[in-house]
Structure formats: C-alpha cells, structure tokens
Amino acid sequence: MRTSEIIRRTNETDIALTLSLDGGDIGISTGIGFFDHMLNSFAVHSGFGLTVKAIGDITVDGHHTVEDVGIVLGRAFNEAIGDKAGIKRFSSCFLPMDETLAFAAVDISGRPFLKYDAQMNWQMIGDYDASLTEEFFRAFAINAGITLHMKVEYGTNAHHMTEALFKAAARALSDASSIVGSEIPSSKGSL
C-alpha cells in the first residue's frame, strides 16, 4: 500500500500527517476552519486517505500552519509514490464550481515547479487568507517533487475559486498517481 506517515515539529508548528494514495480515513484539524474544509475536499476528491493534526501559531496568522502542512503533505506524497513505477504520471483537470472554472495540470516528474495564476477578489475567507493558497501549493509541489500548473480561468467568489483549485489539483493528482502499468513512465528509465 502506498502510504506515508510524517511528524514535523518546529518552533512555529507541530504537524502529524498520514497519507494513503489508495484510500483510507479522512480526519483534518488545523485550527483554521476554511483550510480544514479545503483539505477535506482535497482528500475526498482525490480518493486519498488523509489525516492531519496541526497545531500552529495561528494567533499570529495562518501562514506558518498552511505552508508547513503543504511541506509535510508534499513530503508524504513523495514518500508514498515511491519509485513511480507504473504510475500514469501526467494528468489535468478543469473543474467548475458555480461561476468559477479552475484548472490544474500535474507531472509527477521529480522536478518541482509551481505555476499559479489566480486573482482572488477577497483577501479573507472566514479565518483563511486567500493568498495562502499559492503558498500551500508551492510548498506542496516543491516537497512532492512535482510540476504543478494551476489557474482560475474565471470566477468572482473567492471561496468557490479556492475550492475549485483544491478539487482540480486533487483530481489531477489522483489520476496522475494511478497505477496503469509496471514500468517507470520515462524514456530515461527513472524519474
């Protein structure tokens, strides 16, 4: 089973996370309500088992917690995906949510990169700073060792725009990490 369990403690955050690419329990607690909702949506729409228990310095703001969860989730994904033998590797998803259309494309390449294009109309969504979505996905992509392109094609509601991005990324990652063969999907023979 393609799983990972990571604990990471710093002066700013204390995070325990488990990830199973083949499904499992979902339980999210970060102290940031909207972020919990996004991580839950990510888990549901990817089909991944995901538990996150994060304690952070949210009295300062949510930045450290959101970014550090991205770091830990990325490391867990990289560990769980293993040598990448048999995975599909590439995938993309256009995802509508009411007035919003978002796009995510992924290459599980071993080459970390994020291209992010989403202009939010609101700064805060409940207790969540909308600008942290880019920070989360940058930390995730770098630590997962993936290339990730994300864009909100159009939309007006920051909640819908953010949620569509999380769901589009979830769908693309689920598809790209699915097992479709036994070989490493690269002409070089390694990723």
Side-chain angles (χ1 to χ4, degrees):
M1 193 133 156
R2 301 176 304 157
T3 63
S4 177
E5 182 174 339
I6 296 181
I7 296 172
R8 180 178 188 262
R9 292 184 178 94
T10 72
N11 290 335
E12 298 165 339
T13 60
D14 184 346
I15 300 168
L17 183 147
T18 61
L19 175 68
S20 172
L21 301 182
D22 301 311
D25 293 336
I26 298 171
I28 312 293
S29 176
T30 68
I32 304 169
F34 184 77
F35 187 47
D36 289 356
H37 176 47
M38 292 303 94
L39 291 173
N40 187 73
S41 290
F42 178 86
V44 167
H45 290 279
S46 64
F48 298 160
L50 178 63
T51 64
V52 180
K53 174 69 174 165
I55 300 169
D57 57 356
I58 57 175
T59 55
V60 175
D61 70 11
H63 190 282
H64 298 142
T65 300
V66 172
E67 182 177 37
D68 287 6
V69 169
I71 289 169
V72 175
L73 182 58
R75 289 179 183 171
F77 184 88
N78 190 29
E79 185 175 290
I81 202 76
D83 68 3
K84 303 175 187 82
I87 65 166
K88 189 172 182 180
R89 181 179 166 180
F90 301 99
S91 190
S92 61
C93 176
F94 277 97
L95 193 129
M97 184 165 184
D98 297 343
E99 85 298 343
T100 295
L101 182 64
F103 172 76
V106 65
D107 177 7
I108 303 174
S109 61
R111 294 185 307 275
F113 183 80
L114 174 69
K115 174 63 177 170
Y116 182 90
D117 183 2
Q119 301 302 312
M120 300 290 169
N121 298 329
W122 304 330
Q123 184 68 21
M124 298 302 293
I125 308 167
D127 54 354
Y128 178 83
D129 183 339
S131 69
L132 295 180
T133 303
E134 183 174 6
E135 299 302 322
F136 170 80
F137 280 111
R138 179 177 293 109
F140 173 77
I142 289 168
N143 286 277
I146 65 170
T147 297
L148 180 60
H149 291 252
M150 306 181 78
K151 181 174 178 132
V152 172
E153 296 289 334
Y154 47 81
T156 57
N157 183 299
H159 182 135
H160 296 161
M161 295 162 77
T162 303
E163 190 164 350
L165 286 168
F166 271 87
K167 289 176 177 178
R171 294 282 177 150
L173 284 161
S174 177
D175 189 45
S177 64
S178 64
I179 301 295
V180 294
S182 59
E183 302 297 317
I184 292 177
S186 171
S187 58
K188 294 181 289 223
S190 68
L191 289 170

